Amino acid sequence: MITKFIKRILRRDPMVKHTQANNTGAPKRIPKKAHHIDPHLLSKNAVKVTNTLQQAGYEAFIVGGAVRDLALGISPKDFDVATNATPDQVQKLFRKARLIGRRFQIVHVTFFGKGHPEIIEVSTFRALLDKAGDHVAESGQILRDNVWGSQGEDAARRDFTINAMYYNPSSETILDYHGGMADMQKKTLRMIGDPAKRYREDPVRMLRAIRFAAKTGFQLDGATRESIAKLGKLLNDVPSTRLFDEILKLLMSGYSWAAIQGLKEAGLHHGLLPLLDHILDDGEDSKGANHFVKLALANTDQRIQSGKSVSAGFLFATLLWPDLLKNWRANTAKGMTNIPALHDAMDDTIATQSNSVTIQRRFESDMREIWAMQPRFERRVGRYPSRLIESPRFRAGYDFMLLRCATGELNPAVGQWWTDFIAADPAGQDALMISVKSEPSNGSNTTKRRRRRKPKSIMPPESAAS
Ligand code: ATP
Ligand code: MG
């Protein structure tokens, strides 16, 4: 889809020259007929914000990723506004406006409509680092950032040229300070300024580079790519919570598999998620895990691209499942009974993960619930199935179980049985339970025979991904 729009722009747009704009000079003005932004893709609330600010005498533009996405013909997932009004001045103009952040003080303007409330993030133009000199650490990292500047300075502080365009909905004009539109036509992701310096200021920009390249299908410009290879280790200094947020964005981008391949090519995957180390290291013994995770990510990408929601807990549960399975099997091999072995394995898996990037607690409890539910899908007689359906997280556990069936880790007949069970009326459900009793003993990993001998102990699946 993105490629289609780029082709369209290239075909119809003789007005934008393939030249690099002067970094410090006046911006290039790109009129409506040269950018083809479809006004229907604009958020009405974002336009309300720019109009209100402009009517109060300030400058105001839609900025950043929203302009990039609009110019690519895709619907932005959120809208940011940049203005020369200070946060206090912004706050006074809107009924539901909240000042947030310390390092980057911004205003969240909230609109309540029919669906979810929409938050428009409004930030004030920021000064260049030289002006904020005493806010920079010895390592080059930015510490505090509330020094206001001109729009040109604000543009120079942004990360990539395609993320530094300002769109004025009233005039339908884009102001392009760094040749973002030309780079877009060349399908190039280029860091503004000296990439090495910019990555040192904020190492997370390396992960952003990979994410945007995956999302747009653009190539990283030479220096933008080469500096990553040299500076990747700086990610170790980034606080774990920020790293987690960025990894989550990467996995939820709708292009997670491409992004993970990008991380691998850039040599950035080590230490971010233990699982990525396994799956990206192409070893023979990681094949099963690779298959499971690839399927899970393809599934996630598909859902996100078709506008469906994905729970982060579910996603991390899938990413860490192969690791968990390995620990679970090791525990049972040591003689632990099955359910305690599973719970012990969960603790181990989560602890190993926390050594690099800590998964937030609320996601962790979702993961645990999804995992703990898995052996219960194999009990398909008596009151067990109806009780399982009543669990609040049943749907997530069920989807997860279907994924295991799709990779062959679990007998697909079990997944089909549950799909039928959910759809059946009480008589149909009884019939399905009777059918389990007559299943051949190799029909699934759970058999009546095994359950009778050891009611609470269903073994970890033998054929599972490892
Ligand atoms: P998306 O929202 O689709 O993930 P985005 O480009 O809008 O992408 P945001 O994190 O919402 O990303 O940031 C908005 C804008 O702020 C960016 O487009 C960029 O101009 C600027 N920005 C964000 N993070 C950084 C950073 N770490 N360094 C420099 N500029 C940044
Ligand atoms: Mg954004």
Side-chain angles (χ1 to χ4, degrees):
M1 183 177 174
I2 291 175
T3 321
K4 202 173 88 194
F5 273 97
I6 293 167
K7 278 195 188 136
R8 202 185 70 182
I9 292 167
L10 280 173
R11 235 188 2 257
R12 291 181 17 195
D13 186 7
M15 312 205 43
V16 181
K17 291 200 189 81
H18 289 252
T19 51
Q20 189 69 26
N22 177 357
N23 282 0
T24 49
K28 191 173 281 189
R29 266 171 205 283
I30 303 175
K32 181 179 164 59
K33 56 183 177 236
H35 60 64
H36 313 300
I37 285 181
D38 176 358
H40 294 105
L41 294 178
L42 286 170
S43 145
K44 289 197 177 58
N45 294 326
V47 176
K48 262 188 222 159
V49 170
T50 53
N51 282 346
T52 307
L53 283 160
Q54 289 169 359
Q55 279 154 17
Y58 302 110
E59 293 170 27
F61 301 83
I62 292 171
V63 71
V67 185
R68 174 198 69 220
D69 290 349
L70 287 166
L72 287 169
I74 48 182
S75 192
K77 65 176 167 48
D78 49 45
F79 282 80
D80 298 322
V81 166
T83 177
N84 62 350
T86 64
D88 289 333
Q89 290 167 332
V90 174
Q91 197 185 25
K92 288 195 184 102
L93 290 173
F94 300 94
R95 225 157 35 92
K96 285 272 174 212
R98 221 156 56 93
L99 268 175
I100 59 160
R102 262 162 48 89
R103 191 184 128 185
F104 291 108
Q105 204 176 50
I106 52 175
V107 183
H108 273 180
V109 182
T110 308
F111 293 89
F112 296 93
K114 276 184 200 138
H116 288 294
E118 184 180 6
I119 295 176
I120 306 296
E121 211 167 274
V122 186
S123 55
T124 304
F125 297 147
R126 288 192 157 77
L128 279 167
L129 277 183
D130 317 4
K131 276 199 192 168
D134 53 348
H135 301 307
V136 180
E138 260 175 44
S139 66
Q141 277 202 39
I142 307 167
L143 300 176
R144 289 207 45 215
D145 221 9
N146 287 323
V147 182
W148 317 131
S150 67
Q151 186 179 35
E153 288 176 305
D154 187 78
R157 297 200 45 153
R158 294 182 179 271
D159 46 10
F160 304 97
T161 61
I162 61 170
N163 282 351
M165 296 190 279
Y166 298 74
Y167 178 66
N168 183 346
S170 327
S171 62
E172 295 186 64
T173 305
I174 289 179
L175 297 183
D176 178 7
Y177 282 85
H178 296 278
M181 195 55 101
D183 277 341
M184 203 170 257
Q185 293 172 347
K186 286 185 277 183
K187 298 189 184 182
T188 298
L189 193 62
R190 186 195 312 275
M191 178 63 80
I192 295 168
D194 170 22
K197 179 165 175 258
R198 306 299 312 282
Y199 291 139
R200 272 196 202 97
E201 280 170 11
D202 181 4
V204 163
R205 288 174 185 151
M206 292 185 261
L207 296 178
R208 290 173 62 84
I210 304 297
R211 171 158 64 93
F212 294 133
K215 177 173 172 175
T216 55
F218 289 7
Q219 293 293 318
L220 292 175
D221 173 60
T224 303
R225 187 187 59 245
E226 285 149 22
S227 311
I228 295 181
K230 292 179 207 133
L231 300 173
K233 57 183 178 307
L234 293 180
L235 282 171
N236 295 334
D237 304 335
V238 175
S240 163
T241 45
R242 180 138 190 255
L243 223 40
F244 176 81
D245 286 348
E246 199 52 43
I247 290 169
L248 195 57
K249 280 190 194 168
L250 192 138
L251 295 172
M252 299 283 206
S253 63
Y255 300 85
S256 62
W257 185 249
I260 285 179
Q261 295 306 314
L263 286 179
K264 181 185 179 183
E265 278 158 31
L268 287 184
H269 59 292
H270 284 283
L272 291 179
L273 285 173
L275 177 77
L276 296 186
D277 289 358
H278 299 311
I279 63 165
L280 292 172
D281 284 343
D282 294 336
E284 256 318 290
D285 51 329
S286 54
K287 270 199 178 144
N290 224 332
H291 184 43
F292 185 86
V293 171
K294 194 171 179 174
L295 201 78
L297 292 176
N299 189 24
T300 303
D301 287 350
Q302 203 183 18
R303 283 185 69 89
I304 290 174
Q305 285 179 28
S306 55
K308 292 187 191 146
S309 66
V310 170
S311 113
F314 183 89
L315 186 57
F316 282 104
T318 56
L319 291 178
L320 295 173
W321 176 249
D323 201 53
L324 170 67
L325 217 44
K326 208 165 64 188
N327 292 337
W328 186 9
R329 284 220 214 90
N331 284 346
T332 51
K334 278 188 279 181
M336 281 174 87
T337 46
N338 199 45
I339 303 298
L342 171 61
H343 284 265
D344 187 85
M346 288 187 203
D347 293 342
D348 277 354
T349 299
I350 287 172
T352 311
Q353 173 56 44
S354 304
N355 289 338
S356 45
V357 177
T358 312
I359 293 176
Q360 285 173 15
R361 282 228 175 275
R362 63 198 164 104
F363 300 136
E364 188 189 312
S365 57
D366 285 356
M367 283 159 52
R368 284 180 184 274
E369 268 185 75
I370 291 169
W371 288 338
M373 222 183 275
Q374 295 311 304
R376 298 176 65 192
F377 281 103
E378 303 190 40
R379 291 186 181 161
R380 292 176 287 144
V381 287
R383 284 197 304 268
Y384 291 122
S386 330
R387 277 205 203 134
L388 185 53
I389 284 189
E390 280 159 22
S391 325
R393 305 281 298 140
F394 172 77
R395 194 70 213 187
Y398 164 76
D399 285 345
F400 192 92
M401 182 269 298
L402 288 185
L403 210 54
R404 294 172 56 216
C405 291
T407 55
E409 180 208 307
L410 190 65
N411 185 339
V414 177
Q416 188 56 51
W417 187 94
W418 277 97
T419 305
D420 296 342
F421 189 83
I422 295 165
D425 58 15
Q429 293 188 336
D430 285 345
L432 278 161
M433 283 190 281
I434 290 165
S435 76
V436 173
K437 289 182 187 161
S438 57
E439 260 178 25
S441 59
N442 63 353
S444 80
N445 289 309
T446 338
T447 64
K448 193 179 152 202
R449 192 160 42 85
R450 184 179 287 163
R451 215 174 20 250
R452 254 201 223 138
R453 266 199 239 132
K454 234 179 176 185
K456 292 208 162 182
S457 178
I458 296 148
M459 301 304 287
E462 291 302 327
S463 60
S466 55

